[in-house]
Short mmCIF file of all heavy atoms in Angstrom, two decimals:
data_model
loop_
_atom_site.label_atom_id
_atom_site.label_comp_id
_atom_site.label_asym_id
_atom_site.label_seq_id
_atom_site.Cartn_x
_atom_site.Cartn_y
_atom_site.Cartn_z
N SER G 331 83.87 115.80 107.19
CA SER G 331 84.09 117.01 107.99
C SER G 331 83.47 118.26 107.36
O SER G 331 83.20 119.24 108.06
CB SER G 331 85.59 117.23 108.21
OG SER G 331 86.26 117.43 106.96
N PHE G 332 83.25 118.22 106.05
CA PHE G 332 82.71 119.43 105.43
C PHE G 332 81.26 119.70 105.83
O PHE G 332 80.74 120.79 105.60
CB PHE G 332 82.86 119.41 103.90
CG PHE G 332 82.10 118.34 103.18
CD1 PHE G 332 80.76 118.51 102.86
CD2 PHE G 332 82.72 117.15 102.80
CE1 PHE G 332 80.05 117.53 102.18
CE2 PHE G 332 82.02 116.17 102.12
CZ PHE G 332 80.69 116.36 101.81
N PHE G 333 80.60 118.74 106.46
CA PHE G 333 79.26 118.98 106.97
C PHE G 333 79.29 119.80 108.26
O PHE G 333 78.28 120.38 108.65
CB PHE G 333 78.55 117.65 107.25
CG PHE G 333 78.14 116.90 106.01
CD1 PHE G 333 78.92 115.87 105.52
CD2 PHE G 333 76.97 117.23 105.34
CE1 PHE G 333 78.54 115.17 104.39
CE2 PHE G 333 76.58 116.54 104.20
CZ PHE G 333 77.38 115.51 103.72
N ASP G 334 80.44 119.84 108.92
CA ASP G 334 80.51 120.42 110.26
C ASP G 334 80.28 121.93 110.30
O ASP G 334 79.83 122.46 111.32
CB ASP G 334 81.87 120.11 110.91
CG ASP G 334 82.07 118.61 111.12
OD1 ASP G 334 81.07 117.88 111.11
OD2 ASP G 334 83.24 118.19 111.28
N THR G 335 80.62 122.62 109.22
CA THR G 335 80.57 124.09 109.26
C THR G 335 79.56 124.69 108.27
O THR G 335 79.65 125.85 107.92
CB THR G 335 81.97 124.66 108.96
OG1 THR G 335 82.47 124.08 107.74
CG2 THR G 335 82.94 124.33 110.09
N VAL G 336 78.62 123.88 107.81
CA VAL G 336 77.60 124.40 106.89
C VAL G 336 76.63 125.31 107.64
O VAL G 336 76.30 126.41 107.18
CB VAL G 336 76.85 123.25 106.21
CG1 VAL G 336 75.74 123.80 105.30
CG2 VAL G 336 77.81 122.39 105.39
N PHE G 337 76.19 124.86 108.81
CA PHE G 337 75.28 125.65 109.63
C PHE G 337 75.87 125.80 111.03
O PHE G 337 76.67 124.98 111.48
CB PHE G 337 73.90 124.97 109.74
CG PHE G 337 73.12 124.95 108.47
CD1 PHE G 337 73.07 123.79 107.68
CD2 PHE G 337 72.43 126.06 108.04
CE1 PHE G 337 72.36 123.76 106.50
CE2 PHE G 337 71.70 126.05 106.86
CZ PHE G 337 71.67 124.91 106.08
N ALA G 338 75.48 126.85 111.70
CA ALA G 338 75.96 127.07 113.07
C ALA G 338 75.43 125.99 114.01
O ALA G 338 76.11 125.56 114.94
CB ALA G 338 75.55 128.45 113.57
N GLU G 339 74.20 125.53 113.78
CA GLU G 339 73.58 124.51 114.61
C GLU G 339 73.16 123.33 113.73
O GLU G 339 72.75 123.52 112.58
CB GLU G 339 72.35 125.08 115.32
CG GLU G 339 72.63 126.24 116.26
CD GLU G 339 73.43 125.81 117.48
OE1 GLU G 339 73.40 124.60 117.81
OE2 GLU G 339 74.08 126.69 118.08
N PRO G 340 73.24 122.10 114.26
CA PRO G 340 72.80 120.92 113.48
C PRO G 340 71.31 121.00 113.15
O PRO G 340 70.54 121.64 113.87
CB PRO G 340 73.08 119.75 114.43
CG PRO G 340 73.97 120.27 115.50
CD PRO G 340 73.71 121.75 115.61
N ASN G 341 70.91 120.36 112.07
CA ASN G 341 69.49 120.28 111.74
C ASN G 341 69.22 118.96 111.02
O ASN G 341 70.14 118.31 110.52
CB ASN G 341 69.03 121.48 110.90
CG ASN G 341 69.78 121.59 109.60
OD1 ASN G 341 69.59 120.77 108.70
ND2 ASN G 341 70.65 122.60 109.47
N ALA G 342 67.96 118.59 110.96
CA ALA G 342 67.59 117.27 110.43
C ALA G 342 67.95 117.13 108.95
O ALA G 342 68.37 116.06 108.50
CB ALA G 342 66.08 117.05 110.63
N HIS G 343 67.76 118.20 108.18
CA HIS G 343 68.07 118.15 106.75
C HIS G 343 69.54 117.84 106.52
O HIS G 343 69.89 116.97 105.71
CB HIS G 343 67.68 119.48 106.11
CG HIS G 343 67.94 119.53 104.63
ND1 HIS G 343 67.23 118.78 103.73
CD2 HIS G 343 68.86 120.24 103.91
CE1 HIS G 343 67.67 119.03 102.51
NE2 HIS G 343 68.67 119.91 102.60
N LEU G 344 70.42 118.51 107.25
CA LEU G 344 71.85 118.29 107.10
C LEU G 344 72.23 116.90 107.62
O LEU G 344 73.07 116.22 107.01
CB LEU G 344 72.63 119.37 107.85
CG LEU G 344 74.15 119.40 107.61
CD1 LEU G 344 74.44 119.76 106.16
CD2 LEU G 344 74.82 120.39 108.54
N ALA G 345 71.62 116.50 108.73
CA ALA G 345 71.93 115.18 109.28
C ALA G 345 71.57 114.07 108.28
O ALA G 345 72.30 113.08 108.14
CB ALA G 345 71.17 114.97 110.59
#
Side-chain angles (χ1 to χ4, degrees):
S331 62
F332 64 83
F333 288 98
D334 296 341
T335 53
V336 177
F337 292 100
E339 299 292 337
N341 59 70
H343 180 69
L344 189 66

